């Protein structure tokens, strides 16, 4: 490689990501909330990033739990969702995380 060559990332770079079905499932779960998708977008992205990083964790359940709790805290603080809505959301997210664990 000469000094003028550049290293350019390709589509085959190894970066953490969640399978497409996880995003679709999460979108369905979040659609049940009384909040627009636009307002949920940063929370959704952060949760997906967290889940993507869990793939290399030794304790996947604990890592998922951390992501879920972080999302729930952020939604409670940022969007002031009530406790009943948050509990229902938590149950749906737990199911999604179980599906992820089963697929690995």
């Amino acid at each position: 490689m000469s000094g003028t060559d550049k290293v350019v990332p390709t589509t085959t770079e190894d970066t953490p990501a969640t399978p497409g079905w996880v995003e679709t499932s999460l979108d369905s779960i979040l659609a049940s909330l009384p909040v627009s998708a636009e307002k949920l977008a940063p929370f959704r992205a952060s949760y997906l990033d967290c889940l993507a990083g869990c793939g290399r964790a030794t304790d996947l359940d604990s890592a998922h739990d951390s992501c879920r709790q972080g999302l729930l805290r952020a939604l409670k603080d940022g969007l002031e969702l009530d406790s009943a809505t948050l509990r229902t959301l938590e149950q749906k997210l737990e199911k999604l995380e179980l599906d992820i664990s089963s697929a690995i």
Side-chain angles (χ1 to χ4, degrees):
M1 187 190 272
S2 71
T4 59
D5 292 339
K6 288 174 138 180
V7 177
V8 180
T10 67
T11 57
T12 59
E13 292 291 324
D14 185 22
T15 58
T18 57
W21 66 265
V22 173
E23 291 187 38
T24 303
S25 296
L26 179 60
D27 289 342
S28 295
I29 291 168
L30 295 177
S32 68
L33 296 176
V35 180
S36 71
E38 183 179 287
K39 284 187 179 179
L40 289 169
F43 301 100
R44 175 190 180 276
S46 180
Y47 179 66
L48 286 171
D49 286 346
C50 187
L51 289 178
C54 292
R56 295 183 174 102
T58 54
D59 185 353
L60 191 56
D61 292 334
S62 178
H64 283 168
D65 186 56
S66 178
C67 293
R68 183 178 62 258
Q69 294 306 317
L71 174 62
L72 293 171
R73 256 189 322 279
L75 289 172
K76 181 179 178 186
D77 295 344
L79 300 177
E80 300 177 1
L81 296 177
D82 63 80
S83 59
T85 300
L86 288 171
R87 181 63 192 140
T88 300
L89 176 60
E90 182 175 25
Q91 292 169 342
K92 291 177 181 180
L93 294 173
E94 287 172 344
K95 168 75 170 84
L96 173 62
E97 293 161 8
L98 284 172
D99 291 345
I100 294 168
S101 295
S102 297
I104 293 178

